[in-house]
Amino acid sequence: MTEIPRGRSETHDIDRHLLRYVAGLPHPMGRVWHAVATPEGLARWLYGADPLEPRLGGRVTFRRPDGAEAAGGRVTAWDPEYVAEYTIDPPGPDSGTGTGTAETADLPHGRIRFHLEPGPDDATGSAVLRFTAEFRGTREERLDRLADWHDHLERLAGALDGQSVERTPGAHRRELLEAYARDEALWPVWEP
C-alpha cells in the first residue's frame, strides 16, 4: 500500500488549525480526481456525497454508509482535475444541510481541500496530493484530526490501490494519535 507521510499543522489565534499532508500517489491524476471529487469515489474511502454539485458554490452533503447525513456544506473551490474544496457547515435551521457561509472555518470540520498536481512519473501516471483541513478547536481536537485525516488518506491510498477499505477506526488509529501526540511533546521522547 502507498505510504502516507505524516501530516503537519499550524495553529493561529490560539484555536485556528491548518493541517497539511503531501502524498505522492502512484496513480494517474484522473483516477485520484475521481476518488476525491465524485460521489462514487468519495464513498469508497470517506463518505458518500449526495448531493455533490460539481461547481463553485454547489451543495455537498456527506452521508454515512447507512445514508444518514454526516455533514453538509458548499463547494468553495472547483478546478476540474486539480482542486476540490468543500467547506462544511453546521446543519441549517430548516433543511438539515449546511448553509455554505464563508465562516465555516470556525466549525469542527471547517474546510477541506484536495489539490492535485502531476507526479514525478509522467510515463506511468502519478499524482501528488496536497491536502489541507482548516478548522477551529482545542489542541486535543487538532491531534485527533491529524490522526483522523492521516487514517482517511491511508484509506484513500488503499482504495486507489484496489484494496478493500476498512471504515472502523481501531488500534491503528490509536497508534497514529499517539504518534502525533509524541511528536508534539515538550521534551523529545526517545524510542529505540
Side-chain angles (χ1 to χ4, degrees):
M1 181 164 110
T2 305
E3 183 177 335
I4 300 299
R6 192 77 55 88
R8 297 290 170 228
S9 69
E10 302 170 14
T11 300
H12 304 277
D13 300 328
I14 300 172
D15 65 349
R16 183 181 217 98
H17 308 292
L18 179 64
L19 313 182
R20 297 178 186 273
Y21 300 81
V22 178
L25 300 168
H27 301 283
M29 280 184 52
R31 186 169 178 195
V32 179
W33 176 257
H34 179 79
V36 301
T38 67
E40 305 81 27
L42 287 162
R44 291 199 58 220
W45 66 276
L46 185 60
Y47 283 122
D50 179 27
L52 171 55
E53 298 172 350
R55 61 180 169 75
L56 185 61
R59 290 183 313 138
V60 61
T61 300
F62 291 102
R63 300 197 178 274
R64 294 183 174 93
D66 66 2
E69 181 178 340
R74 296 281 174 195
V75 176
T76 48
W78 191 262
D79 185 3
E81 302 292 320
Y82 296 99
V83 177
E85 180 181 273
Y86 310 113
T87 300
I88 308 305
D89 298 333
D94 300 321
S95 66
T97 60
T99 59
T101 66
E103 300 303 316
T104 55
D106 294 335
L107 304 169
H109 289 289
R111 185 175 296 121
I112 59 174
R113 182 181 184 96
F114 300 91
H115 183 122
L116 300 177
E117 302 171 2
D121 191 0
D122 284 338
T124 59
S126 64
V128 174
L129 170 63
R130 296 180 187 283
F131 173 82
T132 57
E134 182 182 1
F135 66 98
R136 280 196 186 271
T138 65
R139 173 190 177 275
E140 291 75 19
E141 289 168 326
R142 180 178 54 80
L143 293 172
D144 195 54
R145 295 285 191 278
L146 278 164
D148 280 347
W149 279 112
H150 191 119
D151 184 55
H152 290 323
L153 294 174
E154 284 181 343
R155 286 190 274 149
L156 167 62
L160 288 167
D161 290 344
Q163 299 173 358
S164 176
V165 177
E166 178 63 41
R167 293 186 186 275
T168 57
H172 178 64
R173 192 204 139 304
R174 282 189 300 279
E175 290 170 6
L176 288 169
L177 182 57
E178 290 170 5
Y180 280 109
R182 191 173 45 248
D183 283 354
E184 190 166 277
L186 292 177
W187 299 101
V189 176
W190 182 79
E191 289 191 20

